[in-house]
C-alpha cells in the first residue's frame, strides 16, 4: 500500500533515525501490524502489552542494522479449549532489505511465530515511507494471522497451486517452512503522526480477524480499525494507549536499552597514573646492582600493581627490557588492564628499561605476550589518536614457553574467598510462569601452585518460591535436565560446585584444562579440554571429553545411578564488529548426537546478547514440547551499571522449555572464554580503553 500510494513522490525525510513505536507484538510497528522500520542497531527492548484477556511479553533485539529478532511469552485466558490459562512462546524475525530513499519506501520481510506453536503464525512484506517529517505511512501484505480479514487469493498462486492452501499447524515448535506464504492473503496498513518529539498518534487497518480470541476468549471484534497514542519518555520507557477492534482498550509499556551506551560514559573509576619523566624514576633509586636494591624495587612494583587491582606473579628484568607476568583481578576488559600495567611499569622500572613485555595470566597460565616500547607510552599518552597508534606499535604474540618462568616468592599458595548474593530464576512453568530464589553464596578458591586451583561454592536460599514447583517430567529420554524441579524442591543448602582444576600450555597456541569433582549443580565427574587458539587469528578449535555422573537431588555429596560419556568438537570464529560464531558437534547428556549453533553479539561495554539452537538425532516426538533445544542468552557486566571496573556480572538463558534432548554439561572455565580477552581480536576491539 505505502509503495503504491507514495511511489513517484520525492521525499527528503527517508533518513530519519527516531526510535520506532513498539507494537503489541513488541516489534517495530503500529498496534497489530508491523512497519518496515528497525530499532537502533543493538537496541534491546522489553515490552508488555495487555488488552482483553491477552497479555504479551516480548524481548526484542536489533541483531544487525537490518535484522531483528524477538522472543514472546503470551498469557491467554481461555485460548485453548479445556485450558483456563494458556501460555504461548514464540519467535519472530524481520529483515529490512531496502532502505527508504528519495522515491522508494523502506521494505521489510517478516516471519512472526515461525518456531513456536503457531498461535501468532504469520508472514508479511511491509513498506514504510515518510510523507512529511512527522507523518509516515506503512502498508503491506500478510499471510497466516495477517491474512484472515479482508482476504483474497494468494498472489503467489500464479507460480504454483501449492500456495493456494495453508496446511494446519502441527504446534510442535518446529520451523514449518511448508506453511510460509501459503493460503489466503490480505492487505494491512496505517499511519503514524509524530505530534511532537515524544507523542505519536497512530491509526491502522488490521488484517487479523482474531477468530480464536472471538470464539474462545470473548473478544468483541467489531472493526478492523485501531487507534492509539504512544508517549516516549527520555529514559527509554514508552507508554501506549489504544482503542482496538472497535471494542477494546489496550496498554503497552516498553523499555529500550542501548547496549552501546553507558550511564557513566567515561567511567567513574580512579584515573590512571600519569607517566612520570624518566629523571623522576631515576631519583627513586630503582637499581639492579645489588640484591637489596632488586628486592626493594620488586616490592615497589608489586605494591603499585596491587593498587591498580593486579598481582605481580613473575618478573624477568635486564638492563634494557622487562617481562612481567600479571594476574588481573579488577578489570573486565583486558586492554584496560594492559594499559594500567604499562603505566605502572613506566613509573617504576629503571630509566634504562626501554621494552616492556606484559604477560597476562589466568589461572596461573600465560594467555599472550604484549610488548610495548616505553618511548611510545611517553610519546602517545596525550595524543588525540594515541589509542590506535599505541595498538599498531604494540606487538601481540603467543606466550608459549613463558609458562615455565619461575614465579616470585610468596605468590603461591594463594587463597581467596567471597560472600555474595545470588538470584536464581525459573521461567515459563505453566503453573507459575515466574519463579525465583534469592539467597547467599559463599565461594572460596585455593591455588597451591601455578595452574592448579581448588574451588567450591555453597548456596543458601533465603527467600523465593522455586521449591513450590510441582510439575514432574514426562520425558521419554533419560531425565538429564528435565528433573530440575526435583533439584529445586529437595535441596536447601547446596554444594553448587567443588572441583580441582588444572590449567596448562601443552604447546604453542595450545591450552589445556582438566577438571574433576562436583562440576555443576546437577553433575559431577571428570572434564578434559584442549583448545587451539592462535593469538592473532579469528579462528579457534577445541575438543572436550567428559565423564558425567548425575548428582543426588539434595545437591549434597551423593550421586544417582546415571552416568554418561559426553564430548564435543568445537569451532569458534570472531566475525568482527563484536559478532562471535560457534558450532559444537558431539554427544550430549542424554546420549544423543548432534550439533549446537550459536551467534553472539558483544558490545564495547561488555553487554552480550546471543541465540543458539541444537539439533540432534532425537526426534521431535521424543524431545517433546518445543521439538528441539533453543534459546536466548543475555550477559550484563556489573561495570555497565556501576561505572567502575569489575569482573562480576549477571546473566540469564531464556529457554522456552527445558527438556532433555541437546543438553550439555555446564562446566566452569571453558578455555575459549578464559583466553579470548587477552588475544589480538578482543584487545583490538577494546583498545580504546588502553589509556583509561
Amino acid at each position: 500500500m505505502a509503495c503504491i500510494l507514495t511511489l513517484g513522490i520525492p521525499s527528503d525525510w527517508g533518513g530519519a533515525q527516531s526510535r520506532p513505536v513498539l507494537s503489541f507484538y513488541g516489534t517495530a510497528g503500529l498496534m497489530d501490524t508491523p512497519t518496515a522500520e528497525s530499532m537502533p542497531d543493538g537496541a534491546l527492548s522489553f515490552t508488555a502489552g495487555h488488552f482483553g484477556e491477552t497479555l504479551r511479553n516480548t524481548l526484542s533485539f536489533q541483531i544487525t542494522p537490518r535484522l531483528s529478532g524477538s522472543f514472546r511469552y503470551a498469557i491467554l485466558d481461555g485460548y485453548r479449549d479445556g485450558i483456563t490459562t494458556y501460555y504461548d512462546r514464540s519467535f519472530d524475525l524481520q529483515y529490512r532489505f531496502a532502505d527508504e530513499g528519495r522515491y522508494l519506501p523502506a521494505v521489510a520481510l517478516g516471519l512472526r511465530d515461525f518456531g513456536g506453536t503457531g498461535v501468532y503464525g504469520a508472514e508479511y512484506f511491509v513498506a514504510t515511507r515518510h510523507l512529511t517529517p512527522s507523518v509516515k505511512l506503512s502498508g503491506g501484505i500478510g499471510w497466516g494471522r495477517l491474512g484472515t480479514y479482508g482476504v483474497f487469493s494468494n498472489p503467489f498462486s500464479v507460480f504454483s497451486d501449492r500456495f493456494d492452501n495453508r496446511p494446519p499447524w502441527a504446534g510442535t515448535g518446529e520451523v514449518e517452512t511448508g506453511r510460509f506464504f501459503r493460503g489466503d492473503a490480505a492487505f494491512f496498513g496505517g499511519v503514524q503522526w509524530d505530534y511532537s518529539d515524544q507523542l505519536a498518534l497512530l491509526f491502522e487497518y488490521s488484517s487479523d480477524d482474531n477468530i480464536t480470541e472471538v470464539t474462545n476468549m470473548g473478544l468483541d471484534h467489531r472493526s478492523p480499525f485501531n487507534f492509539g497514542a504512544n508517549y516516549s519518555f527520555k529514559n527509554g520507557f514508552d507508554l501506549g494507549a489504544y482503542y482496538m477492534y472497535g471494542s477494546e482498550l489496550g496498554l503497552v509499556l516498553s523499555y529500550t536499552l542501548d547496549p552501546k551506551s553507558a550511564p557513566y560514559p567515561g567511567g567513574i573509576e580512579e584515573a590512571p597514573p600519569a607517566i612520570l619523566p624518566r629523571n623522576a624514576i631515576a631519583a627513586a633509586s630503582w637499581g639492579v646492582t645489588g640484591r637489596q636494591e632488586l628486592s626493594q624495587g620488586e616490592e615497589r612494583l608489586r605494591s603499585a600493581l596491587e593498587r591498580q587491582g593486579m598481582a605481580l606473579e613473575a618478573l624477568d628484568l635486564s638492563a634494557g627490557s622487562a617481562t612481567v607476568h600479571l594476574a588481573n583481578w579488577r578489570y573486565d576488559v583486558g586492554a584496560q588492564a594492559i594499559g594500567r600495567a604499562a603505566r605502572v611499569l613506566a613509573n617504576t622500572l629503571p630509566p634504562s628499561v626501554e621494552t616492556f613485555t606484559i604477560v597476562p595470566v589466568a589461572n596461573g597460565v600465560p594467555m599472550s605476550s604484549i610488548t610495548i616500547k616505553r618511548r611510545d607510552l611517553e610519546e602517545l599518552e596525550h595524543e588525540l589518536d594515541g589509542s590506535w597508534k599505541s595498538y599498531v606499535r604494540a606487538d601481540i604474540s603467543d606466550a608459549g614457553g613463558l609458562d615455565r618462568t619461575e614465579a616470585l616468592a610468596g605468590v603461591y599458595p594463594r587463597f581467596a574467598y567471597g560472600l555474595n548474593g545470588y538470584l536464581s530464576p525459573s521461567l515459563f512453568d505453566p503453573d507459575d510462569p515466574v519463579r525465583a530464589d534469592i539467597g547467599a553464596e559463599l565461594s572460596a578458591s585455593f591455588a597451591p601452585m601455578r595452574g592448579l586451583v581448588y574451588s567450591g561454592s555453597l548456596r543458601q536460599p533465603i527467600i523465593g518460591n522455586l521449591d513450590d514447583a510441582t510439575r514432574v517430567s514426562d520425558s521419554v529420554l533419560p531425565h538429564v535436565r528435565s528433573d530440575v524441579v526435583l533439584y529445586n524442591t529437595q535441596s536447601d543448602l547446596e554444594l553448587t560446585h567443588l572441583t580441582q582444576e588444572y590449567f596448562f600450555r601443552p604447546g604453542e597456541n595450545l591450552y589445556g584444562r582438566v577438571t574433576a569433582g562436583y562440576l555443576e549443580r546437577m553433575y559431577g565427574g571428570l572434564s578434559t579440554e584442549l583448545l587451539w587458539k592462535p593469538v592473532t587469528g579469528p579462528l579457534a578449535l577445541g575438543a572436550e571429553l567428559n565423564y558425567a555422573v548425575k548428582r543426588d537431588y539434595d545437591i549434597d555429596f551423593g550421586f544417582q545411578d546415571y552416568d554418561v560419556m559426553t564430548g564435543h568438537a568445537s569451532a569458534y570464529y570472531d566475525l568482527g564488529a563484536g559478532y562471535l560464531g560457534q558450532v559444537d558437534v558431539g554427544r550430549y547428556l542424554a546420549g544423543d548426537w548432534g550439533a549446537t549453533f550459536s551467534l553472539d553479539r558483544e558490545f564495547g561495554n561488555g553487554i552480550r546478547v546471543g541465540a543458539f539452537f541444537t539439533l540432534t538425532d532425537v526426534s521431535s516426538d521424543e524431545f517433546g514440547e518445543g521439538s528441539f533445544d533453543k534459546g536466548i542468552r543475555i550477559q550484563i557486566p556489573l561495570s555497565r551499571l556501576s561505572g567502575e571496573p569489575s569482573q562480576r556480572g549477571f546473566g540469564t538463558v531464556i529457554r522456552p522449555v527445558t527438556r532433555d534432548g541437546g543438553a550439555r554439561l555446564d562446566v566452569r572455565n571453558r578455555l575459549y572464554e578464559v583466553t579470548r580477552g587477552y588475544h589480538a581480536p578482543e584487545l583490538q576491539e577494546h583498545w580504546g580503553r588502553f589509556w583509561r
Side-chain angles (χ1 to χ4, degrees):
M1 291 174 64
C3 295
I4 298 172
L5 293 175
T6 64
L7 188 63
I9 303 176
S11 169
D12 294 322
W13 308 298
Q17 294 296 317
S18 59
R19 175 159 51 89
V21 169
L22 294 172
S23 71
F24 267 106
Y25 284 94
T27 60
L30 296 169
M31 286 156 278
D32 253 2
T33 62
T35 62
E37 301 169 285
S38 299
M39 296 294 284
D41 182 34
L44 192 62
S45 303
F46 307 86
T47 306
H50 181 268
F51 68 90
E53 302 300 321
T54 297
L55 173 63
R56 296 180 191 145
N57 305 283
T58 307
L59 167 67
S60 293
F61 179 54
Q62 193 65 41
I63 304 168
T64 72
R66 296 182 179 275
L67 178 66
S68 62
S70 303
F71 170 72
R72 184 176 305 104
Y73 188 67
I75 303 174
L76 305 97
D77 290 338
Y79 185 86
R80 290 281 171 88
D81 293 337
I83 301 177
T84 303
T85 303
Y86 181 70
Y87 301 93
D88 182 73
R89 292 155 290 225
S90 57
F91 292 90
D92 296 358
L93 283 175
Q94 177 172 298
Y95 183 76
R96 191 185 78 253
F97 58 85
D99 297 328
E100 182 176 356
R102 181 171 175 81
Y103 293 99
L104 296 177
V107 184
L109 161 69
L111 303 175
R112 184 179 283 177
D113 193 1
F114 69 92
T117 59
V119 168
Y120 296 118
E123 305 83 49
Y124 59 85
F125 288 97
V126 63
T128 298
R129 191 163 186 270
H130 283 77
L131 301 180
T132 73
S134 60
V135 177
K136 53 189 171 186
L137 178 66
S138 295
I141 180 173
W143 293 260
R145 284 277 300 235
L146 288 172
T148 54
Y149 190 94
V151 302
F152 50 83
S153 297
N154 193 336
F156 288 147
S157 296
V158 299
F159 302 108
S160 172
D161 57 8
R162 71 175 183 272
F163 289 101
D164 290 338
N165 298 307
R166 190 176 182 89
W169 197 285
T172 62
E174 292 185 304
V175 179
E176 300 184 37
T177 57
R179 290 171 49 88
F180 290 175
F181 304 101
R182 306 294 178 89
D184 292 337
F187 288 124
F188 60 84
V191 179
Q192 175 180 327
W193 173 34
D194 294 330
Y195 179 79
S196 69
D197 290 342
Q198 294 177 276
L199 179 63
L201 304 179
L202 312 172
F203 165 77
E204 76 174 359
Y205 168 85
S206 173
S207 56
D208 183 352
D209 66 2
N210 292 271
I211 186 62
T212 306
E213 286 88 343
V214 170
T215 304
N216 296 344
M217 300 171 61
L219 177 68
D220 186 8
H221 188 281
R222 301 177 184 175
S223 169
F225 298 106
N226 301 323
F227 306 86
N230 183 87
Y231 190 83
S232 298
F233 298 89
K234 295 182 180 180
N235 58 2
F237 282 95
D238 277 28
L239 179 63
Y242 306 107
Y243 183 61
M244 311 280 290
Y245 317 122
S247 62
E248 298 285 343
L249 293 176
L251 289 175
V252 173
L253 177 66
S254 65
Y255 175 71
T256 299
L257 170 70
D258 181 4
K260 295 180 178 179
S261 68
Y264 312 97
I268 61 174
E269 70 266 32
E270 180 183 352
I275 296 177
L276 300 176
R278 295 202 195 192
N279 56 5
I281 307 302
S285 300
W286 210 106
V288 294
T289 58
R291 184 176 299 276
Q292 182 178 3
E293 289 86 355
L294 179 60
S295 176
Q296 291 175 352
E298 287 178 359
E299 186 56 39
R300 284 197 296 272
L301 179 58
R302 189 196 304 267
S303 298
L305 288 169
E306 286 179 353
R307 288 193 294 271
Q308 298 298 322
M310 290 173 282
L312 178 64
E313 292 211 353
L315 173 64
D316 184 8
L317 184 64
S318 66
S321 64
T323 300
V324 293
H325 292 232
L326 303 173
N328 167 30
W329 305 115
R330 177 180 298 172
Y331 303 99
D332 53 336
V333 173
Q336 187 173 9
I338 300 301
R340 292 273 177 141
R343 288 170 179 258
V344 169
L345 296 177
N347 288 345
T348 310
L349 296 181
S352 61
V353 178
E354 180 60 36
T355 303
F356 304 147
T357 298
I358 300 171
V359 182
V361 171
N363 300 305
V365 174
M367 297 289 104
S368 61
S369 173
I370 300 99
T371 300
I372 300 170
K373 296 294 184 181
R374 190 176 197 156
R375 62 176 176 270
D376 291 334
L377 294 174
E378 296 165 339
E379 175 187 340
L380 301 175
E381 181 183 17
H382 301 296
E383 288 259 357
L384 291 177
D385 54 357
S387 289
W388 77 265
K389 283 185 177 179
S390 60
Y391 177 79
V392 170
R393 297 185 190 183
D395 179 66
I396 303 173
S397 60
D398 183 62
L402 293 175
D403 56 319
R404 293 185 288 274
T405 304
E406 183 178 352
L408 293 174
V411 173
Y412 296 100
R414 177 183 290 152
F415 177 74
Y417 69 93
L419 180 62
N420 299 292
Y422 77 88
L423 169 66
S424 179
S426 174
L427 305 176
F428 314 130
D429 182 344
D431 299 327
D432 192 344
V434 180
R435 299 183 191 270
D437 274 353
I438 299 175
E441 181 177 51
L442 175 65
S443 58
S445 65
F446 174 66
M449 57 178 286
R450 176 176 291 169
L452 182 61
V453 182
Y454 297 89
S455 66
S457 60
L458 290 171
R459 279 188 173 185
Q460 176 62 56
I462 298 175
I463 59 173
N465 60 352
L466 287 183
D467 58 355
D468 292 340
T470 58
R471 185 168 292 268
V472 297
S473 172
D474 60 356
S475 177
V476 300
L477 298 172
H479 293 188
V480 294
R481 289 297 185 198
S482 60
D483 278 344
V484 63
V485 169
L486 298 177
Y487 284 93
N488 291 336
T489 58
Q490 297 187 27
S491 64
D492 188 23
L493 179 65
E494 300 180 1
L495 179 64
T496 309
H497 87 275
L498 182 64
T499 59
Q500 171 185 303
E501 299 170 288
Y502 181 62
F503 301 88
F504 58 99
R505 293 290 307 266
E508 185 177 356
N509 298 324
L510 293 175
Y511 304 82
R513 173 187 58 82
V514 178
T515 307
Y518 298 92
L519 302 173
E520 50 141 292
R521 193 168 182 255
M522 295 174 67
Y523 288 91
L526 177 67
S527 174
T528 62
E529 184 183 6
L530 181 66
L531 177 73
W532 173 80
K533 188 177 188 307
V535 169
T536 58
L539 176 67
L541 301 174
E544 181 179 292
L545 182 63
N546 310 304
Y547 172 68
V549 186
K550 191 174 181 181
R551 297 178 64 182
D552 282 344
Y553 296 130
D554 60 8
I555 316 181
D556 205 335
F557 293 99
F559 289 97
Q560 300 183 44
D561 187 22
Y562 181 81
D563 63 291
V564 62
M565 292 293 297
T566 77
H568 287 80
S570 302
Y572 313 85
Y573 198 85
D574 189 325
L575 300 166
Y579 293 96
L580 302 170
Q582 180 176 340
V583 179
D584 304 286
V585 180
R587 193 177 193 227
Y588 295 82
L589 285 171
D592 47 332
W593 294 81
T596 299
F597 302 87
S598 308
L599 180 65
D600 292 78
R601 185 175 183 185
E602 186 175 61
F603 296 90
N605 55 19
I607 292 180
R608 186 168 172 175
V609 182
F612 64 90
F613 67 92
T614 300
L615 302 175
T616 74
D617 55 4
V618 170
S619 68
S620 59
D621 290 338
E622 291 175 304
F623 185 92
E625 181 185 358
S627 294
F628 61 97
D629 187 47
K630 50 189 173 289
I632 298 169
R633 53 196 177 209
I634 302 173
Q635 296 177 9
I636 301 178
L638 187 60
S639 59
R640 169 61 172 75
L641 304 178
S642 67
E644 296 190 9
S646 172
Q647 294 186 350
R648 296 180 58 203
F650 56 92
T652 188
V653 177
I654 301 174
R655 271 187 170 90
V657 62
T658 299
R659 304 293 289 182
D660 297 311
R664 193 175 178 188
L665 199 63
D666 186 14
V667 182
R668 301 171 67 251
N669 291 320
R670 282 195 165 109
L671 293 173
Y672 183 73
E673 291 303 323
V674 171
T675 60
R676 61 182 289 264
Y678 296 107
H679 285 194
E682 186 78 2
L683 289 173
Q684 181 179 5
E685 191 79 22
H686 299 286
W687 198 261
R689 293 173 67 173
F690 177 85
W691 292 108
R692 203 172 91 183

